[in-house]
Amino acid sequence: MSSAHTTRFCLIRHGETDWNGEKRIQGHIDIDLNAAGEAQARAVGQGLAGHSFAAAYSSDLLRAWRTARIATADRGLAVSPAPTFRERHFGVLQGVTSQEARVQYPDVFRHHHARTPDYDYENGESLIVFAARVTAGLEALAVRHRGQSVLIFTHGGVLDVVHRAATGQALDAPRDFTLPNAAFNWVEHGTNGWRLISWADCGHLNRALDEVLE
């Protein structure tokens, strides 16, 4: 249980989509779950048995929203749409695979691979702007639900920001942690800021693809 001054978050990346399997950059493009993703969402629901949450939120993009609705269908827990926790907007790279991006947009992909903090993909979001959006949204929920536990369905890029906030890792540092579909990721926010509790728990899953685009 969270203390009176601490908010605990369970953040879950959406279930698998066909574009995840193709390593195709989704960003704000609205892609639905595939059959494996739907099965993962059901497994999330089973894995949440025994946990209690004061509130649940989800990115309004279909892949996260459907994961949330399937996972909470038997829990009597209302899910509120939260556009703040949408995936990052990847600008001109949205809709292409990593390999296609290397060929079609070599300069853009170079910034993408380097995690250049202030680069916005020509018409998307810079990492700095994206991280500010995510952390501001989480901190607002930490105040609103102080002393409670909160469930959030979101995306790999959002989880990347959360892990770095909880561990103090720089935004442009190479990622050395995994972001599997439908895994459980627990962090808390209290008087001393963010703290990582546990990460990438896939014990309830048979299959989970890592987020390979960050």
Side-chain angles (χ1 to χ4, degrees), residues 88-90 106-122 124-131 160 164 170-174 213-214:
R88 182 180 176 187
H89 195 302
F90 287 100
D107 290 339
V108 177
F109 187 81
R110 178 173 54 81
H111 284 291
H112 176 71
H113 188 263
R115 300 181 61 90
T116 306
D118 60 353
Y119 185 71
D120 70 355
Y121 297 86
E122 298 185 6
E125 283 180 289
S126 72
L127 194 49
I128 292 172
V129 168
F130 174 57
D160 178 89
R164 292 167 191 274
L171 289 175
D172 58 353
L213 302 175
E214 287 299 319

Side-chain angles (χ1 to χ4, degrees), residues 1-11 52-58 77-82 85 136-152 186-191 194:
M1 296 293 291
S2 298
S3 74
H5 301 290
T6 301
T7 309
R8 177 170 289 200
F9 293 91
C10 178
L11 298 109
S52 179
F53 298 97
Y57 298 88
S58 175
L77 184 63
V79 181
S80 299
F85 303 122
L138 285 173
E139 287 168 2
L141 291 186
V143 172
R144 183 183 307 170
H145 297 289
R146 185 171 290 137
Q148 299 176 325
S149 294
V150 179
L151 180 62
I152 298 178
W186 293 86
V187 298
E188 65 182 19
H189 187 276
T191 54
W194 290 102

Side-chain angles (χ1 to χ4, degrees), residues 3 12 28 31 36 41 48 57 76-77 86 93 97 103-104 123-124 128 136 141 162 167 175 179 213:
S3 74
I12 299 172
H28 283 195
I31 306 301
L48 290 174
Y57 298 88
L77 184 63
R86 278 187 169 204
L93 293 193
T97 67
V103 175
Q104 297 175 22
N123 61 352
I128 292 172
L141 291 186
V162 172
T167 61
R175 177 162 64 87
L179 301 169
L213 302 175

